[in-house]
Amino acid sequence: MIDKLLRLIDAKLDNINTVALGIVTQVDNSRLRCNVKLKHKIQGNEIELFDVPIACLRSSVGTIYVPLREGDVVLVLFSKYELEEQLKNRDTVAVNELLRFNINDALVFGGLFTLADSIPSINPDRINIIGDVYIDGDLDFKTIRGVSADSGSWHPPGV
């Protein structure tokens, strides 16, 4: 009796999707959506999820988004309830409570380093940005490369 109950519990738990790793196969940064192939096979099959929302650090006062590229390894999170229904607007919504932990209710977050990747040297007292930087708003700084903002001169791009 206990063995049968444990098998039943295991069968139910096997259907719960929570977190997985994936590889970005296609990305649309303008819509914050991507296609992602799970890094593990399910019953011997590769699984690709399509048009998956990309999560970023965001609040009502700002957003930090590091664009993804094909081949990036990412964290794939699964919502307990219908994700698309919840993303329609900011209101609370009714969801189909029978559809839980569906593999199609996924979202992608960030990039991960694998053991095969070369991890960049990180200084905890600095922020390193590689690539172009665009700031939409005021920039208040004290020093740039050790030069005081008060005594140094600011040069617009291309000058």
Side-chain angles (χ1 to χ4, degrees), residues 5-153:
L5 184 58
L6 289 175
R7 281 193 302 276
L8 204 71
I9 291 170
D10 283 344
K12 287 289 187 188
L13 290 175
D14 284 346
N15 290 323
I16 294 177
N17 297 297
T18 54
V19 177
L21 296 183
I23 302 168
V24 174
T25 57
Q26 189 175 13
V27 66
D28 182 347
N29 284 305
S30 67
R31 293 179 49 241
L32 288 178
R33 297 284 177 140
C34 71
N35 297 349
V36 62
K37 180 172 61 174
L38 298 182
K39 277 191 59 66
H40 65 278
K41 294 180 180 181
I42 297 177
Q43 297 178 352
N45 297 309
E46 290 186 355
I47 305 297
E48 186 168 4
L49 307 174
F50 300 95
D51 204 33
V52 179
I54 300 170
C56 59
L57 299 177
R58 179 191 181 285
S59 76
S60 58
V61 296
T63 302
I64 297 175
Y65 176 60
V66 179
L68 296 174
R69 289 191 175 160
E70 290 179 19
D72 285 347
V73 176
V74 294
L75 196 59
V76 182
L77 308 167
F78 299 94
S79 175
K80 181 176 181 178
Y81 297 111
E82 299 168 294
L83 189 62
E84 289 297 334
E85 193 63 33
Q86 296 178 72
L87 290 176
K88 284 183 178 176
N89 55 43
R90 293 176 182 261
D91 299 332
T92 358
V93 295
V95 293
N96 182 341
E97 294 181 34
L98 298 176
L99 298 176
R100 292 178 296 180
F101 297 108
N102 190 307
I103 197 166
N104 294 311
D105 291 324
L107 64 99
V108 164
F109 187 76
L112 300 170
F113 290 98
T114 68
L115 295 176
D117 296 323
S118 56
I119 299 174
S121 164
I122 298 173
N123 180 333
D125 298 326
R126 280 173 41 181
I127 296 173
N128 292 333
I129 300 172
I130 299 170
D132 295 337
V133 176
Y134 300 93
I135 298 173
D136 186 3
D138 294 333
L139 177 62
D140 186 14
F141 59 90
K142 292 182 181 181
T143 61
I144 293 180
R145 291 191 183 160
V147 176
S148 167
D150 296 329
S151 63
S153 59

